Amino acid sequence: MKKYYLWSLVILVIGTALAIFGAQNGGIKTINQEGNLLDFSRRPQIISGDQEIALVSGHSLPRRKNHSYQLTQPFQNVNLDVYNAQVVVQTGDRFLVRVTNRQALPVKVKVAHQQLSIADYDSHGAMDQDRLPNTKIYITVPASRPLNQFKIDGNDVQLTLHQLQLRQLRWDNDKTKLKLDHVQISEKMIAEDDQGNYLINNSRLKQVNCDGDGLKAQISNSTLQQVTIDADTVALTCQKTQFLQHNRIQGDNGKLVFKDLNKNLGYSIRGEDNSIHYQHQLTKGNFYKRPHYQNNLHIAGDELRVFVD
């Protein structure tokens, strides 16, 4: 009888040790439900390693570090709340969203009421943990289905829009790196951004409103209609670009370079310590040239260097 108890005790100890070892090495996988986010009737497959989870019916799953999400549902609006992220939006054959995240904390991805929502974890300080983007978002929409509104709230976002049509683009974000290539915004573009850096090419933008402490932008082969820029420091280069209707740029100091703009553009440049070079002729302070034209560019500042060729 003592031998029976002894062997039972040995088997129990070995079984407990094996169970603990198995659980620590992925032998037990648990998926926790968050509200109604999970669709247990069609549970996505869990893949070890560089995991990818296919989202079904707009439901999302919490994920572990270095894992990805994918969905193919249609949407009209995009709302992103992300930090230290790289975002690429382009046209393709179908709706497709891929999200990868290098952090252990979850990113929520879902489509509801025709809106794609991607929310990073609520930790603004995490954006300084690594120079590389912690979150990468790739969004594809059909060319025949223009987006209604694209909105971003966050910090340190690299945003690239390529061959895209949308009504509104909005972001409240610091240190945005923006690249627009063959983009058409039919209604408005609104940016609240400190230290933004923009590269705009072959695009048509309407009602552009940028407000921030600093702005650096290069614009080429584009059409801008009703632009308002208010920044303490401005570094702006525009070439082969048209300014339509009334446009205004205001900054305390900076350098503005305009080359090959539309010929029917009137200029109004005001400021005590400005240095204006119009067609290689220098003027100090205020400068006016064809200010009564239908298309005007009004510039106001204290220590601006303006070059018009």
Side-chain angles (χ1 to χ4, degrees), residues 40-277:
F40 289 100
S41 64
R42 300 182 65 185
R43 180 174 298 174
Q45 180 182 4
I46 297 180
I47 305 172
S48 60
D50 188 10
Q51 184 183 24
E52 180 171 294
I53 299 177
L55 299 185
V56 181
S57 301
H59 300 304
S60 61
L61 290 176
R63 57 98 191 100
R64 297 179 300 174
K65 188 175 181 179
N66 293 330
H67 292 168
S68 305
Y69 302 90
Q70 176 178 308
L71 62 81
T72 57
Q73 280 189 274
F75 50 85
Q76 292 182 343
N77 302 304
V78 178
N79 192 354
L80 306 183
D81 187 358
V82 293
Y83 301 86
N84 197 7
Q86 176 183 338
V87 182
V88 178
V89 189
Q90 59 189 0
T91 56
D93 296 333
R94 58 177 179 142
F95 286 95
L96 179 63
V97 179
R98 289 183 181 271
V99 180
T100 61
N101 189 274
R102 299 172 58 240
Q103 295 294 323
L105 296 175
V107 171
K108 294 182 179 180
V109 184
K110 68 178 181 179
V111 171
H113 307 294
Q114 292 293 313
Q115 176 170 286
L116 168 66
S117 299
I118 301 176
D120 209 334
Y121 53 90
D122 190 16
S123 176
H124 297 193
M127 61 185 175
D128 296 325
Q129 293 180 2
D130 201 324
R131 293 182 179 180
L132 298 176
N134 290 324
T135 304
K136 294 184 178 180
I137 303 170
Y138 300 93
I139 301 174
T140 302
V141 298
S144 60
R145 302 282 295 273
L147 291 176
N148 179 36
Q149 178 173 277
F150 194 101
K151 182 179 179 181
I152 294 183
D153 183 7
N155 278 317
D156 285 343
V157 173
Q158 301 176 24
L159 175 61
T160 299
L161 305 183
H162 180 62
Q163 292 185 343
L164 193 68
Q165 296 184 47
L166 66 162
R167 288 180 55 206
Q168 297 183 15
L169 174 62
R170 298 169 177 260
W171 68 91
D172 185 354
N173 182 78
D174 292 341
K175 299 180 181 179
T176 303
K177 293 183 179 179
L178 174 71
K179 182 178 180 180
L180 302 182
D181 182 41
H182 289 85
V183 173
Q184 181 175 340
I185 298 177
S186 61
E187 191 170 297
K188 62 180 64 177
M189 185 178 92
I190 299 177
E192 295 185 15
D193 188 4
D194 292 339
Q195 306 304 318
N197 192 340
Y198 308 153
L199 181 61
I200 300 173
N201 184 47
N202 286 301
S203 297
R204 187 178 183 92
L205 313 179
K206 186 177 181 180
Q207 288 194 10
V208 178
N209 193 326
C210 297
D211 188 0
D213 288 341
L215 172 66
K216 182 178 181 180
Q218 297 183 33
I219 305 172
S220 60
N221 301 296
S222 297
T223 300
L224 309 178
Q225 182 176 347
Q226 295 177 295
V227 174
T228 300
I229 296 175
D230 190 351
D232 293 340
T233 302
V234 182
L236 178 63
T237 299
C238 298
Q239 59 182 357
K240 296 182 180 179
T241 292
Q242 294 190 24
F243 283 87
L244 303 181
Q245 298 185 3
H246 301 291
N247 306 273
R248 179 179 178 85
I249 300 174
Q250 181 168 344
D252 291 339
N253 59 78
K255 182 179 180 180
L256 309 177
V257 179
F258 303 104
K259 295 182 179 180
D260 298 325
L261 302 187
N262 44 313
K263 300 299 183 181
N264 62 346
L265 183 63
Y267 296 88
S268 171
I269 304 174
R270 296 182 294 107
E272 294 182 359
D273 298 322
N274 292 333
S275 176
I276 301 103
H277 300 258

Side-chain angles (χ1 to χ4, degrees), residues 248-309:
R248 179 179 178 85
I249 300 174
Q250 181 168 344
D252 291 339
N253 59 78
K255 182 179 180 180
L256 309 177
V257 179
F258 303 104
K259 295 182 179 180
D260 298 325
L261 302 187
N262 44 313
K263 300 299 183 181
N264 62 346
L265 183 63
Y267 296 88
S268 171
I269 304 174
R270 296 182 294 107
E272 294 182 359
D273 298 322
N274 292 333
S275 176
I276 301 103
H277 300 258
Y278 184 86
Q279 303 295 339
H280 306 289
Q281 294 184 0
L282 176 62
T283 301
K284 293 290 187 177
N286 300 322
F287 176 85
Y288 302 94
K289 189 71 174 182
R290 301 187 299 270
H292 301 296
Y293 273 35
Q294 182 179 0
N295 302 318
N296 289 284
L297 178 58
H298 303 277
I299 300 173
D302 294 329
E303 298 178 1
L304 295 176
R305 290 180 297 154
V306 183
F307 298 83
V308 180
D309 293 325

